[in-house]
Amino acid sequence: MSTAPDREAWGLMLELLFSHHRPRVWGIAAEFDLAPMQMFALKALEPGRELPMSALAGSLHCDASNVTGIVDRLESRGLIERRSSPEDRRVKMIAVTEEGQRLREQIAARMSEPPPPIAKLALQDQRELRDIMARALRS
Amino acid sequence: MSTAPDREAWGLMLELLFSHHRPRVWGIAAEFDLAPMQMFALKALEPGRELPMSALAGSLHCDASNVTGIVDRLESRGLIERRSSPEDRRVKMIAVTEEGQRLREQIAARMSEPPPPIAKLALQDQRELRDIMARALRS
DNA sequence: TATTGTTATACTCTATAACTATA
DNA sequence: TATAGTTATAGAGTATAACAATA
């Protein structure tokens, strides 16, 4: 007998995650002198698309009260800015600055580098993995 | 033209990770009234295999000074215990208690549940994903 | 009354540096 | 001298609750 294949696959993904990805996220954030959540917030803010604080909280899966601090720190470095909303004066829209956009791209380039176990797979396996993951996320 | 398949595959894995796994880790830890790092520490401590604090720090990818607090909190709940090492009186060996083992198994059962995108894949895709991940981690 | 974002509070994780007790 | 773990300190993320401004 054996475990269900989805559980086995997921277990292996968790292993990769914990042994390679987790430490790397911290390393990349440190390279750019950012805390991980600040980095994730920057990633969530696509250029040209303002987001209300509440949406940012949703995207980061954390409470709105945290976002105040995270946004404070990014704003004090000139990477993002708070703008008023013309529709509802309670909400504040967050947008990346030009400097934030440049940093954002550098981070994306580093994060998208696959960890060694994935990079060393045979090309055919890489293609198959990509296709399976695409099917998983499409449904 | 297109991105290299390993980068594409990795990008999709990150997406799954961030949208499904990350929030779930917090949720599961909260279920058991643990902070995430406490949960990871418990996971690292296999029953019957004591680990020095330093090894635990390595496994958690964090500084040794943090481990003191993490171990303190787990020990005060009776989930793990510090033991002296017969060989070197400087080192403290960490071991799960029986209660810790029970909690550890409950957590493992919850964590190993694959997120919906993986669980809903066709059986053939699940098997292929498992095999590719196994090849990735074996090398 | 309800909602958006802030502030206050308390706890956890994080690293660095200084310390202790051993080696 | 060097190492294992602790303590002190300071910064960051976390949620809850109370609050101001606005709807």
Side-chain angles (χ1 to χ4, degrees), chain A residues 93-105:
Chain A
M93 305 299 287
I94 311 300
V96 280
T97 61
E98 283 193 16
E99 189 186 342
Q101 287 183 34
R102 283 193 295 273
L103 188 56
R104 197 173 171 280
E105 280 158 24

Side-chain angles (χ1 to χ4, degrees), chain A residues 34 38-45 79-80 96 100 103-104 107:
Chain A
L34 291 172
Q38 295 173 27
M39 186 168 70
F40 295 145
L42 207 52
K43 179 194 167 201
L45 291 165
L79 300 172
I80 64 174
V96 280
L103 188 56
R104 197 173 171 280
I107 291 167

Side-chain angles (χ1 to χ4, degrees), chain B residues 10-135:
Chain B
W10 180 239
L12 292 164
M13 290 176 75
L14 286 180
E15 192 181 327
L16 172 68
L17 197 62
F18 197 78
S19 59
H20 287 85
H21 177 58
R22 233 180 113 75
R24 247 197 21 175
V25 165
W26 277 91
I28 294 174
E31 271 179 45
F32 297 104
D33 200 27
L34 291 172
M37 285 305 288
Q38 294 172 28
M39 186 169 69
F40 295 144
L42 207 52
K43 179 192 168 201
L45 290 165
E46 296 169 30
R49 256 192 67 205
E50 301 181 338
L51 279 186
M53 306 273 292
S54 57
L56 194 49
S59 170
L60 295 174
H61 306 292
C62 71
D63 192 86
S65 64
N66 304 335
V67 179
T68 299
I70 293 167
V71 164
D72 280 349
R73 292 181 271 273
L74 287 172
E75 190 173 32
S76 74
R77 283 181 54 177
L79 300 172
I80 63 175
E81 60 185 19
R82 274 178 244 238
R83 298 178 186 162
S84 55
S85 162
E87 297 163 10
D88 185 335
R89 297 202 313 195
R90 290 174 303 179
V91 343
K92 288 172 189 165
M93 306 299 287
I94 311 300
V96 280
T97 61
E98 283 193 16
E99 189 185 344
Q101 286 183 35
R102 283 192 295 273
L103 188 55
R104 197 174 171 279
E105 279 159 25
Q106 290 175 41
I107 291 167
R110 293 282 289 109
M111 289 287 285
S112 70
E113 289 169 21
I118 301 298
K120 288 190 303 190
L121 276 172
L123 190 58
Q124 192 49 50
D125 275 346
Q126 295 179 358
R127 292 205 188 99
E128 190 63 32
L129 178 59
R130 172 199 59 195
D131 294 343
I132 292 172
M133 288 303 303
R135 285 196 285 276

Side-chain angles (χ1 to χ4, degrees), chain A residues 4 11 33 35 41 48 50-51 61 69 75 82 91 93 101 108 110 112-113 116-118 124-126 132 136 139:
Chain A
D33 199 27
E50 300 181 337
L51 279 186
H61 306 291
E75 191 173 32
R82 273 177 245 238
V91 344
M93 305 299 287
Q101 287 183 34
R110 294 282 289 107
S112 70
E113 290 169 21
I118 301 298
Q124 192 49 49
D125 276 344
Q126 295 179 358
I132 293 173
S139 63

Side-chain angles (χ1 to χ4, degrees), chain A residues 58-131:
Chain A
S59 170
L60 295 173
H61 306 291
C62 70
D63 192 87
S65 62
N66 303 335
V67 179
T68 299
I70 294 167
V71 164
D72 280 349
R73 292 181 270 274
L74 288 172
E75 191 173 32
S76 73
R77 282 180 55 177
L79 300 172
I80 64 174
E81 59 185 20
R82 273 177 245 238
R83 298 176 185 164
S84 56
S85 162
E87 298 162 10
D88 185 333
R89 299 202 312 197
R90 289 174 305 180
V91 344
K92 288 172 189 164
M93 305 299 287
I94 311 300
V96 280
T97 61
E98 283 193 16
E99 189 186 342
Q101 287 183 34
R102 283 193 295 273
L103 188 56
R104 197 173 171 280
E105 280 158 24
Q106 291 176 39
I107 291 167
R110 294 282 289 107
M111 288 287 286
S112 70
E113 290 169 21
I118 301 298
K120 289 191 300 189
L121 276 172
L123 190 57
Q124 192 49 49
D125 276 344
Q126 295 179 358
R127 292 205 187 99
E128 190 64 32
L129 179 59
R130 172 199 59 194
D131 294 343

